[in-house]
């Protein structure tokens, strides 16, 4: 779409001239930015120099930031994840972020502390205008992780502080590590004791 901008014209009630001198400045101001504004914008200015029309141009890529609409673990909103220790030596867990521009990056925490998991797969899938990003990791279960929260964080500049405070950028599951009881490690035998004596 082409816009012929000057100080007196405003397009769509949001695109207007930006600059001091219409003969020298080639700038626009976009208020009420829309997702459709994402892309390459080209400015072209024509001036008469020594009786000749000369055209100059330049372009800029505008990235309209948009936060993902949802973040899920294994396509679930919340809950717990059951893993049988030793029977399942590893568990694949997928974190999915729907939407987002640009695509978010992912990080993980275990019991609130940053943790590093082996990345099995990471990609983007497109369904029409909606892009879904995901990261699949491999978690090795440990009995001591039973009851701990495993959290996937979608990192995007488009999230506001309010979004983060409301947890819109995270998906959390409680690990339910099922394992057999452990035997007592040390046994003590006492001989020759009489009940009631020290």
């Amino acid at each position: 779409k082409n816009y012929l901008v000057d100080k007196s014209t405003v397009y769509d009630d949001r695109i207007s001239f930006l600059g001091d001198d219409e003969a020298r400045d080639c700038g626009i101001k976009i208020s009420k930015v829309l997702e459709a504004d994402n892309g390459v914008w080209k400015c072209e200015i024509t001036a008469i120099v020594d009786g000749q029309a000369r055209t100059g141009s330049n372009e800029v890529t505008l990235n309209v930031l948009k936060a993902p609409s949802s973040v899920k673990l294994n396509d679930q909103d919340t809950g717990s994840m059951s893993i049988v220790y030793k029977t399942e030596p590893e568990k694949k867990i997928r974190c999915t972020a729907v939407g987002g521009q640009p695509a978010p990056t992912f990080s993980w925490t275990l019991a609130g502390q940053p943790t590093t998991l082996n990345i099995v797969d990471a990609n983007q899938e497109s369904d029409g205008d909606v892009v879904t990003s995901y990261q699949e990791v491999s978690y090795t279960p440990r009995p001591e992780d039973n009851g701990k929260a495993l959290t996937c964080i979608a990192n995007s500049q488009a999230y506001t502080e309010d979004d983060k405070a409301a947890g819109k950028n995270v998906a959390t599951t409680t690990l339910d590590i099922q394992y057999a009881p452990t035997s007592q490690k040390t046994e003590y035998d006492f001989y020759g004791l009489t009940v009631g004596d020290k």
Side-chain angles (χ1 to χ4, degrees):
K1 192 170 183 179
N2 293 323
Y3 300 97
L4 182 61
V5 292
D6 57 40
K7 290 183 178 180
S8 61
T9 307
V10 177
Y11 291 92
D12 302 327
D13 197 32
R14 61 189 199 91
I15 298 175
S16 58
F17 174 76
L18 178 67
D20 296 319
D21 185 352
E22 292 177 7
R24 296 180 177 272
D25 296 331
C26 182
I28 62 169
K29 176 182 177 183
I30 305 173
S31 57
K32 304 175 193 169
V33 175
L34 303 175
E35 191 175 349
D37 296 330
N38 194 73
V40 178
W41 286 76
K42 183 177 181 180
C43 176
E44 190 173 282
I45 189 167
T46 302
I48 305 299
V49 179
D50 298 328
Q52 299 285 329
R54 296 201 179 176
T55 303
S57 67
N58 208 337
E59 59 185 40
V60 64
T61 301
L62 175 64
N63 290 315
V64 178
L65 302 181
K66 181 181 177 187
S69 59
S70 67
V71 180
K72 295 182 180 182
L73 284 176
N74 290 354
D75 293 328
Q76 297 176 353
D77 290 320
T78 56
S80 65
M81 183 177 297
S82 296
I83 306 170
V84 180
Y85 178 64
K86 289 192 176 177
T87 303
E88 296 178 89
E90 68 174 9
K91 180 80 170 181
K92 290 183 180 175
I93 304 167
R94 179 176 285 207
C95 184
T96 304
V98 178
Q101 171 67 31
T105 60
F106 297 94
S107 56
W108 298 80
T109 63
L110 181 62
Q113 298 300 313
T115 188
T116 302
L117 301 171
N118 292 328
I119 299 172
V120 177
D121 190 16
N123 211 336
Q124 293 179 351
E125 298 171 347
S126 182
D127 182 13
D129 292 338
V130 179
V131 176
T132 299
S133 305
Y134 68 86
Q135 184 180 80
E136 189 171 75
V137 296
S138 174
Y139 163 74
T140 302
R142 304 178 306 169
E144 60 265 33
D145 290 343
N146 184 49
K148 291 182 179 178
L150 179 66
T151 301
C152 169
I153 304 165
N155 303 296
S156 171
Q157 292 176 314
Y159 282 117
T160 65
E161 290 305 316
D162 288 342
D163 290 340
K164 292 177 186 178
K168 291 183 178 181
N169 64 325
V170 300
T172 301
T173 189
T174 302
L175 296 175
D176 177 17
I177 312 295
Q178 301 174 8
Y179 56 94
T182 56
S183 59
Q184 185 176 342
K185 294 181 180 178
T186 307
E187 292 185 2
Y188 298 95
D189 291 326
F190 297 95
Y191 301 98
L193 297 180
T194 303
V195 175
D197 288 352
K198 291 185 179 179

